[in-house]
Amino acid sequence: MKQLYFLLSLFSVVLTATAEPLASKTTLRGIITDAVDGQPVVGASVYFPDLKQGTTTNAQGEYNFKSLPVIKTTIQVSYVGHQTIIESVNLHTTTTLDFVMHENNAMLGEVIVTGLTGSSLADKSPSPVSVVTPIELLQTPSTNIIDAVAHQPGVSQITTGSGISKPVIRGLGYNRIVVVNDGIRQEGQQWGDEHGIEIDPQTVHSVEILKGPASLMYGSDALAGVLVMHEDPVMPLGKMAANVGGEYQTNANLWDYTVDFAGNQQGFVWNWRWSQKDASEYGNKHDSKVYGSQFHERALTGMLGLNRAWGYSHLKLSAYHIKPGLVEGERDEETGELEPSDPFQKIYHYKAALDNSFIVGDGSVKAVVGYQQNRRQEFEDGDEPGLDFRLHTVNYDLHYQSPAIGHLTYAAGLSGMWQHSENLGDEFLIPSYKLFDIGAFASATYSLDRLTLSGGLRYDNRHLHSYALEDDGVLRFKDFSRNFNGVTGSIGAIYNLSDRINLRLNLSRGFRAPTLSELGSNGEHEGTFRYEIGNSDLSPEFSWQGDLGIDYSSEIFSAQLSFFANHISDFIFLERIVDDQYQFTQGDARLWGGEVMVDFHPVEPLHFENTFSYVNARQLHQSEDARWLPFTPAPRWNSNLRYEFIRDGQHWLNNTYVSVGLECYLKQDKVHTANDTETVTPSYTLFNMSAGTDVRLNGRRLCSIYLTATNLFNRLYCSHLSRLKYAEGGPVYNMGRNIGVKVVVPIAL
């Protein structure tokens, strides 16, 4: 607890010392017009990402900010169907700023990213970064938030039915990926196979995907990359609004409801949301019902805060509960039909995070502290849980982001966490433990006319103590302590060969300390069909990754090529010993591959997008049957043809489109066959369709409607990353045809 008291004291001093309630204020106003006809753009979003202040344009295309800090910062202007505008603005000297918006074409749009070491433009980052936009999240059918982003190039998901998904970036998942939500890293039981990410998808406004160990802000576990979940922007000053939404999906009879209420009165900001999701068992043409795949989800989230000229302070609260079943996969010996499954889980996740940013000169001090409690219970058939984990986590992050000093910007800070995990049930898988992390980092970016250089270093220390436990007089877990240290960093460059071509190069080093499950587990991992045994002598993983990328962009054609090579020393994996017993061991591994994206825009309303992802992952110095890493995604080609019938409609409809797509998964025969761990997965192709529109009345949006159809031809398939492929009674196939309808109704107050 001494470490915890130290963290809280540190943040109290920082919050007191850096606040500037008498900071100078300024205003900014302007008009936004359309490049084609010069008409005002109504409802365009104008946003300051670093200040978390925004507004929208009125019927005359005008916007107006009245209480801004006097600094240099970044402004972002966006509107559906148009290219986003991102510019630097000097509020010391600028009080009026007009914008002209161009319609979307094949040009690569500018995007602001925050997951590196502060806000920056993605096209100035040598590290591979992509962003899933708000409109993409709305238009993508999904049953959970990872499902919604897993179609992005280089991103996949390990699934257990329709309600449980875990992210995979370039062939690596579990504790090699950090998920950030509400400004802090999400900490549940992410080492476990049989449950997903405890985040309400309705609260996620956009998702930032960092591929590779290039983020210096999160330390251990960001070896494969980072997913940053961004919340809705705060409401414009003086505005209040509500949103009501609903969704229905046919396959699992899924119903999803959400309502939120947000506002900004004199700089006092809030946003509260309630969501509820219920799904029965999904089906396919082989199994009418997959017993145990049902789930029920409830979530309450809220934000209260202040936006002032000195910065902002936001308190974020959430309570999340999901009750998923566990698919056992047992079949009747005579009929081959799946038998009903009784086991289920109850997972509770509570979170409180205080997110602060204080203006210091033209720079800013970011101070975030959060508390999370994760409770996971597994039930066989009664009211008393067998496995019962309770995990307490305190996260902290304190760093300074400098303004531009000539061509140079820099950031430096501290971050880490404290954890305490308890065993409260009468069945055991991992021992109780305590953990303390602390890390320090510094990074810098140097920009010239065509060349941008960036790099940084980080040092981490993690101390972990596992507690002994006797079960029926037998020592189940031993008492041990481990200390892990790691130095990581990255250095890279992006060069503008021309106005249309960018070349990227990056080298990064990653670090991951072993998890307690890898060090000390000793028990049956329910839902995974295996008994797991830890290894307390494991060493930390270290990686070297090189990235090379090239972008080309024009009005009718754009392309992105990204290649990577990754070498991981002391890679940790599960090795089958005998029957259903597995033990954690380690060796060296190497992964290489990349992503290709091509967007063809021959005429104004038509887009033809294609992406291809490939990962080759193998263990070094292994026998032939053990040389390939398990759960490596199959090569995947995504293609999407989209036609926009109405854009900037003036009558009943607006932003009306129809889209036809396919997902082609090639044969995955590079499998870990030792001890029958994996089998080959044949190729398969899924066809999807979607359509959507805004419905308007008197120039105002009444609602948005989205229609989707996935696996349109009801293809029977089993994903290579589905754990149900190895169920006891044989493979349990993925979801069949699924039709969905989503309606979102905005209510302006």
Side-chain angles (χ1 to χ4, degrees):
M1 293 297 292
K2 291 181 179 179
Q3 297 101 324
L4 181 58
Y5 295 146
F6 164 76
L7 298 178
L8 296 177
S9 300
L10 174 64
F11 270 87
S12 297
V13 171
V14 171
L15 299 185
T16 303
T18 57
E20 297 182 21
L22 299 179
S24 301
K25 303 177 184 179
T26 188
T27 62
L28 182 70
R29 66 178 64 216
I31 299 175
I32 300 176
T33 55
D34 187 273
V36 176
D37 55 16
Q39 294 297 309
V41 178
V42 182
S45 171
V46 187
Y47 190 61
F48 291 95
D50 291 332
L51 307 177
K52 294 195 175 181
Q53 293 197 45
T55 189
T56 56
T57 54
N58 59 21
Q60 289 74 45
E62 301 168 336
Y63 71 91
N64 187 12
F65 290 95
K66 296 182 179 179
S67 183
L68 295 173
V70 185
I71 61 170
K72 296 178 181 178
T73 189
T74 301
I75 190 171
Q76 175 179 294
V77 182
S78 57
Y79 185 68
V80 175
H82 290 70
Q83 298 177 47
T84 298
I85 300 171
I86 299 174
E87 291 185 6
S88 177
V89 55
N90 187 347
L91 296 175
H92 291 277
T93 58
T94 304
T95 57
T96 302
L97 189 59
D98 297 333
F99 297 95
V100 177
M101 302 202 73
H102 296 264
E103 293 190 344
N104 266 346
N105 51 32
M107 294 286 290
L108 295 172
E110 288 190 301
V111 180
I112 292 177
V113 295
T114 63
L116 295 165
T117 48
S119 295
S120 63
L121 289 176
D123 63 3
K124 295 296 183 183
S125 167
S127 305
V129 184
S130 61
V131 173
V132 186
T133 64
I135 194 65
E136 288 179 300
L137 289 176
L138 279 172
Q139 295 174 359
T140 302
S142 62
T143 56
N144 55 74
I145 185 58
I146 302 304
D147 193 19
V149 303
H151 305 282
Q152 297 295 308
V155 184
S156 307
Q157 58 180 328
I158 294 175
T159 62
T160 309
S162 59
I164 300 175
S165 296
K166 307 183 81 66
V168 174
I169 297 178
R170 289 178 165 178
L172 300 174
Y174 296 95
N175 279 70
R176 296 179 180 92
I177 294 176
V178 168
V179 176
V180 178
N181 184 242
D182 293 326
I184 59 176
R185 54 187 287 168
Q186 185 84 3
E187 286 294 322
Q189 312 284 346
Q190 59 261 37
W191 49 267
D193 294 75
E194 70 287 357
H195 71 101
I197 306 298
E198 306 90 347
I199 296 174
D200 174 17
Q202 303 288 354
T203 65
V204 180
H205 179 71
S206 63
V207 182
E208 190 176 314
I209 304 169
L210 283 66
K211 303 171 187 176
S215 174
L216 300 173
M217 294 177 65
Y218 305 107
S220 176
D221 306 341
L223 191 82
V226 182
L227 295 181
V228 183
M229 310 287 181
H230 292 290
E231 71 274 15
D232 290 329
V234 299
M235 291 292 294
L237 187 66
K239 302 289 186 179
M240 294 187 297
N243 274 281
V244 178
E247 182 178 8
Y248 175 70
Q249 296 181 15
T250 58
N251 189 291
N253 196 32
L254 181 148
W255 290 94
D256 187 2
Y257 312 97
T258 186
V259 58
D260 82 315
F261 174 52
N264 183 345
Q265 298 297 311
Q266 298 179 345
F268 174 70
V269 297
W270 70 89
N271 190 351
W272 289 87
R273 180 183 293 273
W274 166 259
S275 299
Q276 176 176 326
K277 185 184 298 181
D278 297 285
S280 58
E281 300 92 343
Y282 78 84
N284 53 60
K285 66 181 182 181
H286 183 267
D287 305 304
S288 58
K289 285 186 177 181
V290 177
Y291 295 107
S293 62
Q294 74 281 356
F295 64 94
H296 309 282
E297 180 182 290
R298 308 286 185 271
L300 175 65
T301 57
M303 183 273 288
L304 295 170
L306 285 174
N307 279 36
R308 292 287 190 264
W310 47 261
Y312 63 83
S313 181
H314 295 168
L315 175 63
K316 304 170 184 178
L317 305 169
S318 65
Y320 175 94
H321 174 218
I322 186 171
K323 182 183 177 182
L326 288 172
V327 179
E328 294 187 311
E330 296 180 354
R331 297 181 181 272
D332 185 277
E333 293 183 0
E334 295 183 359
T335 65
E337 295 181 354
L338 286 171
E339 296 181 345
S341 178
D342 294 324
F344 64 94
Q345 302 179 73
K346 289 183 179 180
I347 299 171
Y348 303 86
H349 197 90
Y350 306 102
K351 185 191 304 181
L354 185 61
D355 183 3
N356 305 278
S357 178
F358 304 104
I359 305 299
V360 179
D362 275 343
S364 62
V365 171
K366 308 288 186 182
V368 183
V369 63
Y371 169 75
Q372 300 174 75
Q373 183 187 125
N374 184 275
R375 183 81 179 268
R376 175 185 154 213
Q377 301 171 311
E378 290 186 2
F379 298 81
E380 288 293 332
D381 50 17
D383 296 329
E384 294 297 323
L387 287 176
D388 191 351
F389 298 120
R390 183 167 62 190
L391 176 67
H392 307 269
T393 304
V394 174
N395 306 88
Y396 64 95
D397 173 32
L398 176 65
H399 68 272
Y400 173 72
Q401 180 70 47
S402 81
I405 306 172
H407 299 286
L408 178 70
T409 61
Y410 67 89
L414 299 169
S415 65
M417 65 180 177
W418 169 89
Q419 279 189 338
H420 180 203
S421 179
E422 304 170 275
N423 271 319
L424 304 178
D426 55 16
E427 296 180 9
F428 309 102
L429 174 59
I430 64 171
S432 299
Y433 69 91
K434 287 187 177 180
L435 175 153
F436 182 70
D437 259 353
I438 188 167
F441 71 89
S443 67
T445 299
Y446 189 82
S447 299
L448 297 173
D449 290 339
R450 290 189 175 272
L451 177 67
T452 300
L453 302 172
S454 65
L457 288 172
R458 180 183 176 96
Y459 172 78
D460 281 285
N461 175 265
R462 170 174 289 185
H463 178 76
L464 185 150
H465 182 83
S466 173
Y467 293 93
L469 182 142
E470 288 191 359
D471 185 13
D472 292 331
V474 178
L475 183 65
R476 183 69 172 272
F477 303 114
K478 64 180 182 180
D479 188 280
F480 67 89
S481 295
R482 293 292 305 274
N483 203 62
F484 303 100
N485 301 284
V487 176
T488 57
S490 67
I491 184 169
I494 179 167
Y495 183 71
N496 306 121
L497 295 174
S498 70
D499 292 338
R500 298 184 183 274
I501 303 176
N502 293 326
L503 181 66
R504 306 167 187 270
L505 182 65
N506 194 74
L507 177 66
S508 53
R509 179 168 170 82
F511 158 73
R512 185 181 78 90
T515 66
L516 199 280
S517 64
E518 294 165 336
L519 294 166
S521 60
N522 185 13
E524 183 178 354
H525 201 161
E526 191 70 39
T528 68
F529 322 117
R530 61 180 181 248
Y531 190 102
E532 296 181 2
I533 302 171
N535 181 350
S536 60
D537 295 325
L538 292 174
S539 301
E541 296 177 345
F542 285 94
S543 72
W544 283 103
Q545 178 165 315
D547 288 277
L548 174 66
I550 186 168
D551 309 337
Y552 173 80
S553 185
S554 70
E555 288 78 6
I556 63 171
F557 177 83
S558 65
Q560 287 184 309
L561 286 79
S562 299
F563 304 98
F564 75 94
N566 189 6
H567 181 277
I568 305 175
S569 59
D570 294 316
F571 182 86
I572 299 171
F573 61 97
L574 267 174
E575 184 176 55
R576 191 172 187 174
I577 303 173
V578 60
D579 296 330
D580 63 345
Q581 292 192 24
Y582 293 74
Q583 184 167 27
F584 287 98
T585 185
Q586 57 189 165
D588 294 340
R590 69 105 181 99
L591 300 89
W592 64 268
E595 302 87 41
V596 179
M597 186 279 291
V598 176
D599 182 8
F600 185 48
H601 183 64
V603 293
E604 187 58 44
L606 184 67
H607 275 272
F608 185 40
E609 299 176 352
N610 293 268
T611 63
F612 181 76
S613 306
Y614 177 80
V615 177
N616 183 294
R618 64 175 298 174
Q619 300 184 86
L620 304 178
H621 318 300
Q622 297 289 329
S623 61
E624 184 72 16
D625 59 353
R627 61 175 178 161
W628 301 111
L629 287 184
F631 280 110
T632 298
R636 185 183 70 195
W637 169 40
N638 282 11
S639 184
N640 187 65
L641 184 65
R642 176 188 174 98
Y643 190 86
E644 297 174 345
F645 291 93
I646 302 174
R647 183 187 288 175
D648 291 333
Q650 301 300 315
H651 300 290
W652 284 95
L653 301 179
N654 191 28
N655 300 320
T656 306
Y657 72 94
V658 64
S659 175
V660 180
L662 65 84
E663 299 174 63
C664 179
Y665 294 81
L666 303 184
K667 180 180 179 180
Q668 180 56 291
D669 55 4
K670 295 176 172 60
V671 296
H672 191 98
T673 58
N675 300 310
D676 298 322
T677 300
E678 278 191 317
T679 58
V680 172
T681 301
S683 63
Y684 59 90
T685 300
L686 307 178
F687 289 87
N688 309 309
M689 290 189 66
S690 65
T693 189
D694 294 338
V695 180
R696 297 161 56 109
L697 180 64
N698 296 327
R700 293 182 59 183
R701 181 166 64 100
L702 287 182
C703 66
S704 298
I705 303 173
Y706 304 98
L707 303 174
T708 59
T710 57
N711 195 2
L712 187 61
F713 298 115
N714 204 25
R715 174 68 187 269
L716 187 67
Y717 73 99
C718 194
S719 167
H720 189 69
L721 299 190
S722 171
R723 293 194 312 102
L724 300 183
K725 183 183 177 186
Y726 306 102
E728 295 179 7
V732 177
Y733 294 95
N734 287 72
M735 184 181 292
R737 182 188 297 113
N738 189 25
I739 310 298
V741 57
K742 183 187 299 184
V743 179
V744 180
V745 181
I747 304 172
L749 304 175

